[in-house]
Amino acid sequence: MAKNNKKNDLMLENAPSPDKLPGKMDKKKEEEENEPTADELRQMMKKNHSEARGPGAGRMIREKPKNLRETVGKLLRYIGKSKWLVFLIMLTTIITSVLNSLGPRLQGAAMNTMTLSASRLDVDFEALVHTLVLMGIVYLASAVMQLFQGFASAKISQTTVYTLRQDLFRKISYLPISYTDTHPSGDIMSRMTNDVDNVSNAISSSLTSLISAVLTLVLSLVMLLSYHWSVVLVTLITIPLTIFASMKLSAFMRKYFVKRQVLLGQMNSQVEEMVTGYKTVMAYGKEEDACREFAEISEEFRKCSIKANLWGGVMGPVNNIINNVNYLLVAAYGAFLSMKGIILPGDIQAVLQYSRQLTFPINQIANQYATLLTAAAGAERVFAILETPDEVDEGTNPMTVEQIRGEIEFKNINFSYIPGKQVLHDFSLTVKPGQKIALVGATGSGKTTVVNLLTRFYDVDSGEIKIDGVNVNDIPKSTLRRAIAIVLQDTVLFRDTIGNNIRYGRLDATEEELEHAADMSESDEFINRLPEGYETVLAEGGSNLSQGQRQLLAIARAVLADPKILILDEATSSVDTRTEMHIQQAMVALMKNRTSLIIAHRLSTIRDADIIIVMQDGRVMESGNHDELLEKQGVYYNLYQNQFAGFET
């Protein structure tokens, strides 16, 4: 993804994720108990995709109806983008098919130069040599054309797949947050890799075969008619049987190949989840459980693959039997015509080969049906993502980030992820520019949902949210999100240098600005102790740093972004008390004259907030500063007493 789009991705994990299992319990992000469960979110999204999987899933497969013709049509449109390659394939295939159709006739002519009469073999050597030379030229030219054909097939295959992957990656980059919340990352990765590879294999091996099959069918029919019309009728006797067998067997094959692709995506998701959360799996001694769950999915994949390959393998032998019957009938009838003097003895060889070529296209398609089905199933899964609507952005207001002052108004907000399970109830809040607002409340009170709606990860059911008097729906999302910086509890770091990870906040930052941001976030101390300093390359997810150090880098990134609105979602939850004190001092300077929303469980971190909003079950129960709320002795007072009981004397 292009770097100028990455800032949005830093906030993806802010939405509730259904894709958690024991291997991901090291992520300490609270899950709102009133917010949707994984199964409910899947029901909400099932119109688009049916393969979503949550914890412990993998034993039930939902197959939506497939449209093979529509999928092939879409794929052909992608192939058609390489027009000159398609033309080259068509040209070489036509020439190759014509040359191959001349082969049997030349063989028959060569045999007819030899006659047997009165126990004597007579050979027309001049005609034989002439025919053999012509045969050599034909076969050599056919080989050259096949060489060009192979080059064009490989070129168009990789070009098509390149375009398909580019479009798919772009689509994934702009999918709604709700999609990534309801689809395992492993399944999405499987579509990008396995499914696209299957499409590539089908294009490279089957495209020319299908074109060649049609041409071969037509040319063989013409050649057979040139000998005698009745030969065509005998050859066509077994064609209906071949078609019937192919249709019946393909009906069994299709469902297994579609199901196998779905299971493959689930296996990838399972492996990705286990690798991500392997520390937690080991810490809780769940290795056997993880292995057992993977074994169940793998066993189902094994059984499905056996059935798919079994039915795919049956197609060839069945058609071979039918072809052998056809060969016997044509040979007998050809001998009969030869005895009647209608055709020459050498023509029997040509007729037999043309009869083979007449049935060859059907057999070729049948034998490649397994490859075509796998590719079709993969292509359908790819197009399912490509046809998912992009994140809606109807904002047209010309306001710029620099013009935003940071006044926020939530007015009578009602919201539910799932109809019937409301998360926010008539929520209203007014934040003046530069104010520091804290959101507190028990798990499930809807604090994170407020942030999701402000950043338009989700849209409200009713009510409106305004920034500087402008409805957020009218502000382009790129402008809105550039004006907001979020520091999450679950830090997002990339496999890059420490300096570049911090620069995600602002890509054009100077070295001095970078170091100043690190200094303000208290991260410069540990960075300077590293042998390569800011050039230190982080492992995947920043796993070569402690959780606290990762959080400090996320804070430095927010400092560098210099946002109009700052959101701290449990931003200091993973650092020690001493470091937290230093960060709080830095945050005071950072939040000065900047609108700030703080989500916190540690009430000690928000005592100096201008307004503290106490939420419960999606409603505002209390609001005021720290001292005012303690005087009320209400919900906030009880939370404070429970958290600090025993610490005061």
Side-chain angles (χ1 to χ4, degrees):
M1 188 185 308
K3 286 193 173 183
N4 60 353
N5 295 326
K6 289 180 177 176
K7 187 175 180 180
N8 292 347
D9 297 335
L10 297 177
M11 304 182 283
L12 294 184
E13 297 183 29
N14 203 40
S17 172
D19 192 25
K20 288 181 168 63
L21 48 80
K24 288 191 175 179
M25 290 183 65
D26 57 332
K27 292 188 174 183
K28 297 177 289 184
K29 179 69 181 172
E30 67 169 353
E31 290 206 13
E32 308 285 358
E33 61 185 20
N34 288 335
E35 296 179 6
T37 63
D39 291 336
E40 291 166 335
L41 278 172
R42 289 191 199 97
Q43 291 297 321
M44 180 174 64
M45 298 296 292
K46 69 181 180 179
K47 289 184 179 181
N48 292 331
H49 298 277
S50 62
E51 300 92 346
R53 188 174 72 86
R59 289 169 288 279
M60 295 183 63
I61 302 297
R62 291 182 298 169
E63 292 183 31
K64 63 179 180 180
K66 305 295 182 178
N67 191 326
L68 182 60
R69 178 179 297 179
E70 183 178 342
T71 301
V72 171
K74 295 172 185 175
L75 199 54
L76 288 176
R77 286 194 288 273
Y78 265 91
I79 296 172
K81 294 179 180 180
S82 304
K83 294 182 174 58
W84 72 272
L85 287 174
V86 173
F87 174 76
L88 181 60
I89 288 177
M90 292 290 293
L91 179 62
T92 55
T93 303
I94 291 173
I95 295 175
T96 301
S97 299
V98 171
L99 292 174
N100 289 339
S101 68
L102 295 176
R105 181 171 288 276
L106 292 174
Q107 292 179 23
M111 294 181 64
N112 287 333
T113 60
M114 297 174 283
T115 57
L116 183 64
S117 59
S119 300
R120 179 182 175 185
L121 179 64
D122 294 322
V123 180
D124 186 346
F125 286 101
E126 183 178 354
L128 178 60
V129 171
H130 180 270
T131 303
L132 292 177
V133 170
L134 189 57
M135 284 175 59
I137 295 174
V138 167
Y139 289 138
L140 179 61
S142 176
V144 173
M145 287 297 103
Q146 288 178 1
L147 180 64
F148 282 106
Q149 188 182 83
F151 165 77
S153 297
K155 181 77 173 178
I156 198 171
S157 169
Q158 294 307 310
T159 301
T160 302
V161 168
Y162 169 80
T163 305
L164 191 61
R165 275 205 175 105
Q166 289 290 101
D167 290 350
L168 182 58
F169 193 86
R170 184 207 171 277
K171 171 60 70 173
I172 292 173
S173 301
Y174 290 96
L175 284 173
I177 298 298
S178 56
Y179 186 94
T180 58
D181 280 348
T182 54
H183 290 76
S185 56
D187 181 69
I188 296 176
M189 291 169 59
S190 179
R191 301 184 194 215
M192 175 67 76
T193 54
N194 297 323
D195 292 334
V196 175
D197 281 341
N198 289 331
V199 172
S200 173
N201 293 334
I203 293 175
S204 61
S205 64
S206 302
L207 180 62
T208 55
S209 297
L210 293 175
I211 298 174
S212 177
V214 174
L215 292 173
T216 300
L217 180 66
V218 173
L219 291 172
S220 298
L221 185 62
V222 171
M223 288 297 183
L224 283 174
L225 286 172
S226 68
Y227 286 103
H228 197 269
W229 61 269
S230 61
V231 178
V232 176
L233 297 179
V234 175
T235 302
L236 294 177
I237 289 176
T238 58
I239 297 296
L241 185 59
T242 300
I243 296 175
F244 176 79
S246 299
M247 291 179 61
K248 288 297 182 180
L249 290 174
S250 65
F252 289 100
M253 292 168 57
R254 178 173 176 75
K255 60 180 180 180
Y256 292 117
F257 280 98
V258 172
K259 184 177 180 181
R260 186 171 72 172
Q261 290 305 108
V262 176
L263 285 169
L264 186 59
Q266 293 189 351
M267 283 181 62
N268 288 338
S269 295
Q270 176 72 4
V271 172
E272 190 263 344
E273 289 171 343
M274 289 300 101
V275 171
T276 301
Y278 76 98
K279 290 183 180 178
T280 305
V281 174
M282 295 179 67
Y284 283 88
K286 299 295 184 181
E287 295 92 340
E288 289 299 323
D289 293 340
C291 292
R292 182 172 60 254
E293 184 176 351
F294 179 78
E296 291 175 0
I297 301 175
S298 182
E299 174 65 13
E300 190 170 359
F301 179 79
R302 182 186 69 85
K303 292 179 179 178
C304 184
S305 295
I306 290 175
K307 292 177 181 178
N309 292 333
L310 175 64
W311 288 111
V314 165
M315 185 82 75
V318 168
N319 285 326
N320 284 337
I321 293 174
I322 297 174
N323 290 340
N324 289 333
V325 172
N326 175 268
Y327 190 88
L328 179 63
L329 292 175
V330 173
Y333 188 70
F336 171 77
L337 292 179
S338 179
M339 288 186 294
K340 291 290 186 179
I342 298 175
I343 61 175
L344 298 174
D347 295 337
I348 298 176
Q349 167 68 16
V351 168
L352 286 172
Q353 291 194 52
Y354 285 127
S355 68
R356 284 286 197 186
Q357 288 186 5
L358 191 63
T359 57
F360 173 75
I362 299 175
N363 296 333
Q364 190 176 36
I365 295 173
N367 290 333
Q368 291 188 352
Y369 202 73
T371 301
L372 294 173
L373 276 182
T374 301
E380 283 171 336
R381 284 160 48 81
V382 171
F383 288 128
I385 293 183
L386 289 175
E387 292 168 359
T388 301
D390 284 347
E391 187 180 30
V392 177
D393 187 3
E394 65 274 46
T396 57
N397 192 294
M399 69 188 305
T400 64
V401 175
E402 291 72 21
Q403 294 173 329
I404 294 178
R405 297 180 295 108
E407 180 182 351
I408 306 172
E409 181 183 6
F410 293 85
K411 186 177 181 180
N412 305 122
I413 300 299
N414 290 287
F415 176 75
S416 58
Y417 293 97
I418 300 295
K421 292 200 66 175
Q422 196 161 339
V423 179
L424 292 181
H425 304 263
D426 198 30
F427 177 83
S428 296
L429 172 65
T430 299
V431 184
K432 296 179 180 179
Q435 273 193 323
K436 182 178 10 174
I437 306 298
L439 300 176
V440 301
T443 298
S445 58
K447 303 183 299 297
T448 297
T449 299
V450 172
V451 174
N452 288 339
L453 297 178
L454 177 61
T455 54
R456 290 202 66 196
F457 289 162
Y458 292 87
D459 288 326
V460 300
D461 296 338
S462 65
E464 61 180 350
I465 303 173
K466 294 182 178 180
I467 293 181
D468 296 341
V470 180
N471 194 307
V472 293
N473 291 344
D474 297 328
I475 303 174
K477 287 185 176 179
S478 58
T479 301
L480 175 67
R481 292 171 181 171
R482 283 202 307 271
I484 300 174
I486 300 182
V487 179
L488 301 174
Q489 178 185 5
D490 295 331
T491 305
V492 179
L493 295 176
F494 300 91
R495 193 183 183 92
D496 204 339
T497 64
I498 287 179
N500 286 341
N501 269 278
I502 297 176
R503 278 196 176 91
Y504 255 51
R506 184 155 53 91
L507 297 175
D508 59 352
T510 65
E511 196 68 27
E512 291 74 18
E513 291 171 329
L514 175 68
E515 294 177 0
H516 175 69
D519 178 61
M520 286 194 65
S521 66
E522 300 287 335
S523 58
D524 63 328
E525 183 177 347
F526 84 83
I527 294 175
N528 291 327
R529 289 200 305 265
L530 297 172
E532 298 180 43
Y534 289 90
E535 296 303 315
T536 301
V537 177
L538 298 182
E540 184 178 358
S543 59
N544 52 340
L545 298 179
S546 69
Q547 179 65 31
Q549 290 172 332
R550 295 198 291 269
Q551 198 135 35
L552 290 174
L553 292 182
I555 294 172
R557 179 188 292 160
V559 172
L560 189 63
D562 191 24
K564 301 296 182 178
I565 300 171
L566 178 66
I567 298 175
L568 304 176
D569 195 348
E570 293 292 339
T572 61
S573 62
S574 298
V575 298
D576 59 84
T577 305
R578 178 177 178 276
T579 304
E580 182 182 14
M581 293 176 59
H582 290 294
I583 293 176
Q584 288 299 329
Q585 295 174 2
M587 291 296 100
V588 170
L590 176 63
M591 290 185 287
K592 187 177 181 180
N593 300 323
R594 179 177 283 115
T595 304
S596 303
L597 295 179
I598 306 171
I599 297 176
H601 280 113
R602 293 183 189 176
L603 301 185
S604 61
T605 63
I606 48 91
R607 294 181 62 167
D608 61 340
D610 297 318
I611 300 177
I612 299 174
I613 305 298
V614 183
M615 299 185 65
Q616 183 174 309
D617 297 328
R619 294 178 172 87
V620 177
M621 305 302 294
E622 297 175 343
S623 64
N625 61 39
H626 175 73
D627 294 332
E628 291 172 347
L629 293 176
L630 287 181
E631 288 179 5
K632 290 182 180 180
Q633 295 192 5
V635 178
Y636 182 82
Y637 176 83
N638 293 330
L639 288 173
Y640 189 83
Q641 291 299 317
N642 290 335
Q643 193 166 123
F644 292 98
F647 288 93
E648 297 182 1
T649 58

